[in-house]
Amino acid sequence: MALDMQPGSRLDDLTVPPISRTTLALFAGASGDHNPIHIDLDVARSAGLDDVFAHGMLSMAYLARLLTDNFPLERLRSYKVRFAAVTPIHGRPTCRAEVTAVDDVDGERVATLDLTVALADGTVTLTGEAEIALD
């Protein structure tokens, strides 16, 4: 558990396996998001794409895993993201978090973390911020 955080501290990166068609099908079932652009090659091609791409919420879930791997869920005070680019099939996302501030908020020491998900080529697919109570 990473509760002794200071500005500039980073969590260990979380790199997930390449996104497979199986991953997308399982996530569609688990999330209820069956948008065919994520699972049907013909639909993706009819939209002018080479192939399907991952649900944005899948990347958000991986980023949440980075947070919950490092902090108990009850310490999470806020979590917000912005989708910046698609994650292509076979893309391998890496989730990162860096502390940008530690402040006293309503009697708690709260760390603000800058969040990103990026692909191996450097493409940032998701950015965000989380606030974690440290004590």
Side-chain angles (χ1 to χ4, degrees):
M1 187 165 36
L3 296 178
D4 186 27
M5 308 291 294
Q6 303 296 327
S9 297
R10 292 189 58 192
L11 302 181
D12 290 338
D13 291 351
L14 171 67
T15 300
V16 298
I19 303 297
S20 68
R21 293 180 198 287
T22 301
T23 301
L24 297 181
L26 291 171
F27 186 78
S31 68
D33 182 352
H34 297 282
N35 184 329
I37 200 85
H38 299 300
I39 52 179
D40 187 322
L41 178 59
D42 291 332
V43 170
R45 286 190 174 152
S46 72
L49 303 168
D50 292 333
D51 210 331
V52 299
F53 60 92
H55 306 72
M57 295 298 287
L58 178 58
S59 292
M60 188 176 181
Y62 286 136
L63 197 51
R65 184 191 329 168
L66 173 66
L67 295 172
T68 59
D69 281 354
N70 285 276
F71 306 101
L73 183 59
E74 62 271 11
R75 291 187 178 272
L76 183 63
R77 296 297 179 258
S78 71
Y79 177 48
K80 57 187 174 183
V81 300
R82 180 182 163 278
F83 302 106
V86 299
T87 299
I89 190 80
H90 310 300
R92 187 174 184 152
T94 297
C95 303
R96 296 185 173 99
E98 181 176 342
V99 176
T100 58
V102 177
D103 299 296
D104 183 54
V105 178
D106 297 327
E108 288 185 312
R109 220 173 98 231
V110 175
T112 301
L113 284 76
D114 181 48
L115 308 171
T116 59
V117 178
L119 302 176
D121 68 1
T123 300
V124 174
T125 62
L126 188 146
T127 60
E129 183 179 278
E131 293 180 340
I132 306 291
L134 299 177
D135 53 27

